[in-house]
Amino acid sequence: MEGRIETLLSTILVVMTMCATTLLTPGLASSPIDLTKCWSSLLNIQGCEVEIFKSILTGKFENVGPTCCKAFTEVDAKCWPKMFPLNPLFPPLLKDGCSRIISGAPAHTTPRFPVISGSPIDLTKCLSSLVNVEGCVTEIHKAVFTGKFGNVGPMCCKAFSTVDAKCWPQMFPFNPFFPPLLKNECSRINAATPTHK
């Protein structure tokens, strides 16, 4: 029974990705990236796509096993926008989490974000203030998927407040209401945080 569920989930994940890539991101749909090749190494590992799907939904990367992580870190970053068109923040976060899982080290590294061709906005520049605050991108990613802002700390809020609003559509392409909600919540968090003089 569990094997059928995993097969169903992996099929749904691949179909959703293909549909979203084709229908929702026309600039990417015409690129020469072969989606089948992008997913092939992950689909060859039993349960890997399910582990990735679960981490997308929960924001928890520790549930992805080392074998799946190793395969994911070897996926070409050019595939990421095609594989995860609905969540451009996810692949660099998972790769960062996987590098720690594979090495067993808790060290923090700065995730690298792909440049999406045809976009006038450089996602790396947009996220630069966030990646300079350890754990901030992960805190925001969790807030996007849980709808709970309690884990977003004051330093992350301060960094988020410096992000240009022109970046928001690129950072949150299918959740345009999230940035203003987070900005509002961050104004409360920053107001409640004592300042040292």
Side-chain angles (χ1 to χ4, degrees):
M1 181 70 172
E2 189 173 304
R4 287 183 183 174
I5 292 172
E6 286 184 8
T7 302
L8 179 62
L9 281 174
S10 64
T11 303
I12 290 170
L13 179 64
V14 171
V15 169
M16 284 175 41
T17 302
M18 292 172 71
C19 287
T21 302
T22 304
L23 298 174
L24 300 175
T25 52
L28 296 175
S30 61
S31 69
I33 302 295
D34 182 356
L35 194 55
T36 307
K37 286 182 182 177
C38 293
W39 278 103
S40 66
S41 62
L42 302 176
L43 295 174
N44 289 331
I45 299 168
Q46 184 176 357
C48 184
E49 69 280 358
V50 174
E51 293 173 10
I52 291 172
F53 186 63
K54 285 179 184 176
S55 67
I56 288 171
L57 295 176
T58 64
K60 296 179 182 178
F61 305 110
E62 61 271 7
N63 294 330
V64 179
T67 306
C68 183
C69 273
K70 184 170 181 354
F72 184 81
T73 59
E74 294 171 357
V75 171
D76 187 343
K78 292 177 184 174
C79 287
W80 291 352
K82 289 284 258 184
M83 294 171 72
F84 305 98
L86 302 176
N87 191 350
L89 300 176
F90 177 75
L93 290 172
L94 181 58
K95 186 170 183 178
D96 179 54
C98 280
S99 66
R100 285 183 263 150
I101 289 169
I102 292 169
S103 70
H108 172 74
T109 58
T110 301
R112 291 194 188 115
F113 297 91
V115 174
I116 299 175
S117 60
S119 172
I121 304 295
D122 181 355
L123 195 56
T124 302
K125 285 181 183 177
C126 290
L127 294 166
S128 63
S129 64
L130 303 180
V131 297
N132 290 328
V133 176
E134 187 172 342
C136 184
V137 175
T138 303
E139 291 172 12
I140 290 173
H141 183 261
K142 286 181 180 178
V144 166
F145 285 97
T146 63
K148 297 177 183 174
F149 299 98
N151 292 328
V152 180
M155 294 300 293
C156 184
C157 278
K158 185 176 181 182
F160 184 77
S161 68
T162 66
V163 174
D164 188 337
K166 292 176 186 173
C167 292
W168 291 354
Q170 189 72 27
M171 293 168 63
F172 307 100
F174 298 102
N175 194 346
F177 300 109
F178 179 79
L181 290 171
L182 180 58
K183 187 172 183 178
N184 182 48
E185 189 64 27
C186 281
S187 66
R188 290 185 197 149
I189 290 169
N190 287 336
T193 304
T195 56
H196 299 287
K197 292 184 180 185

